[in-house]
Amino acid sequence: MSHDNLSQYPQHPVSPDAFSTDAYAYGYSPRDDLGDIDDRFVFDFRSYDDLEDGQRWSTWLSVEPLCRGPEPLPDWVVTSQGAIDTELGVLKTGKEADVHLVERADPLAPGAGVVMAAKRYRSAEHRTFHRAASYTEGRSMKRSRDERAVKRKSTFGRQVAAGEWAVSEWGALVRLWNLGLPVPYPVQIDGTEILMEWITVVDEDGTVQTAPRLAQPRPSPELLAAYFEQLTDALATMVQNGVVHGDLSAYNILAAGERLVIIDLPQIVDLVGNLNAMGFLQRDCANICDWFRSRGLKADEHALFAELMAHAF
């Protein structure tokens, strides 16, 4: 074909814009009637904006099923794949872990969002618990290499220890929740982070606040007696199932109105497998009874310990 004969054909600009992906540029038209398309192949497309600083996509579906809270899930748990976790600030700092507030919500369903407590154990900076060996007696690790690293207190060992304490608390929360005990609902665990229920109270002006520790409020004599009965029942259920809190005091119990919620459970010990368990239980009884006596309630740690032993054996 000669160059002269090319003039009979339509010429298009030779530029990147000429290679349009628009199917309608060359005379094609869309079908006006889509009614014959199977509904199974039709869906609504919803786009999400980019995340801002202090945000991440929800990790609910990225963790293993066993790392999610026990069934049935409370209706406030957000499981949407499009949900976003937003950091709201630090709630509490500690030697081994910090607790943050995290909001999980789907941008397209903001009314269904929830604020949770995120407990994050430190890794390389992790400090071992006081008398940690006493708490961990009877526990075993899956890999001997990890156990040796923890004993050497190497950097890797401290990272392993942080994970072990997180796993220990997660297991305790799930176990005690399934027993019907007053603990925060465990939402999920991801590495050294545990997401759990944020225990709150509502002020007189309607403001939602974190529930205070038992050591802070000044309950009435009637409420004080009700608190002691709740704790006695909870401790009895625990020893019946072979576990001891190990570090119970008025500082790791939340006063959520008329009910108490037990927190800080990484050091939970086995009543039979740990030779120090009886001593820890006696100390728990003494700490609790000392605090209640300081508020005017007659509480005998020896009587409480004897009552718990009756439930244990």
Side-chain angles (χ1 to χ4, degrees):
M1 180 183 295
S2 67
H3 182 274
D4 295 337
N5 293 333
L6 291 176
S7 59
Q8 61 182 305
Y9 295 96
Q11 300 296 306
H12 299 285
V14 183
S15 68
D17 294 337
F19 300 97
S20 172
T21 58
D22 188 351
Y24 313 129
Y26 295 96
Y28 297 103
S29 61
R31 295 191 317 175
D32 295 329
D33 184 11
L34 301 179
D36 58 345
I37 293 181
D38 194 319
D39 290 339
R40 293 175 298 176
F41 300 98
V42 178
F43 62 91
D44 292 330
F45 175 77
R46 301 185 299 174
S47 63
Y48 290 83
D49 296 330
D50 293 335
L51 301 184
E52 300 177 358
D53 292 340
Q55 291 186 326
R56 69 184 183 193
W57 293 110
S58 169
T59 54
W60 173 261
L61 292 177
S62 66
V63 299
E64 296 293 331
L66 289 178
C67 294
R68 301 173 194 152
E71 300 281 355
L73 298 177
D75 56 10
W76 52 264
V77 175
V78 176
T79 61
S80 169
Q81 189 171 3
I84 295 173
D85 293 346
T86 303
E87 294 284 337
L88 301 181
V90 178
L91 181 62
K92 173 184 173 292
T93 59
K95 291 182 178 180
E96 291 82 24
D98 297 328
V99 181
H100 300 247
L101 287 182
V102 174
E103 179 188 39
R104 175 168 289 175
D106 188 324
L108 300 180
V114 63
V115 177
M116 300 174 291
K119 188 169 186 177
R120 295 166 183 163
Y121 283 87
R122 297 191 178 92
S123 52
E125 302 84 10
H126 177 79
R127 303 179 189 174
T128 56
F129 283 80
H130 184 51
R131 292 192 298 273
S134 299
Y135 290 118
T136 58
E137 182 177 337
R139 296 182 188 175
S140 60
M141 295 185 179
K142 293 182 179 179
R143 298 190 302 180
S144 58
R145 172 175 175 262
D146 294 346
E147 192 166 357
R148 291 195 302 270
V150 170
K151 290 180 179 179
R152 289 198 305 268
K153 299 182 180 180
S154 64
T155 299
F156 174 70
R158 291 194 296 271
Q159 293 174 341
V160 172
E164 287 297 315
W165 286 112
V167 169
S168 176
E169 179 155 27
W170 169 259
L173 285 169
V174 171
R175 182 176 182 180
L176 298 186
W177 175 268
N178 284 330
L179 290 173
L181 288 170
V183 297
Y185 176 77
V187 178
Q188 68 175 71
I189 180 173
D190 186 9
T192 57
E193 178 191 74
I194 300 175
L195 290 178
M196 66 185 80
E197 178 185 4
W198 179 35
I199 306 300
T200 62
V201 293
V202 180
D203 291 344
E204 294 180 357
D205 60 358
T207 303
V208 177
Q209 301 283 353
T210 302
R213 297 175 184 273
L214 180 58
Q216 296 175 252
R218 293 293 184 268
S220 65
E222 294 77 17
L223 185 55
L224 194 69
Y227 280 166
F228 188 74
E229 183 177 355
Q230 289 181 42
L231 276 180
T232 301
D233 291 343
L235 291 173
T237 301
M238 290 176 69
V239 297
Q240 283 175 349
N241 289 274
V243 293
V244 176
H245 186 285
D247 192 31
L248 194 62
S249 73
Y251 293 94
N252 46 33
I253 300 171
L254 301 180
E258 296 185 353
R259 72 185 183 104
L260 296 181
V261 179
I262 300 172
I263 60 173
D264 293 337
L265 295 158
Q267 72 294 314
I268 191 170
V269 297
D270 186 275
L271 184 60
V272 177
N274 190 309
L275 297 177
N276 304 292
M278 289 297 179
F280 287 139
L281 182 58
Q282 287 179 322
R283 189 178 66 185
D284 286 351
C285 293
N287 289 340
I288 290 301
C289 290
D290 283 346
W291 185 86
F292 276 95
R293 280 198 302 269
S294 71
R295 295 298 188 271
L297 183 71
K298 292 182 179 180
D300 185 341
E301 61 264 32
H302 302 293
L304 177 58
F305 181 77
E307 180 179 348
L308 297 178
M309 286 296 95
H311 287 280
F313 302 105

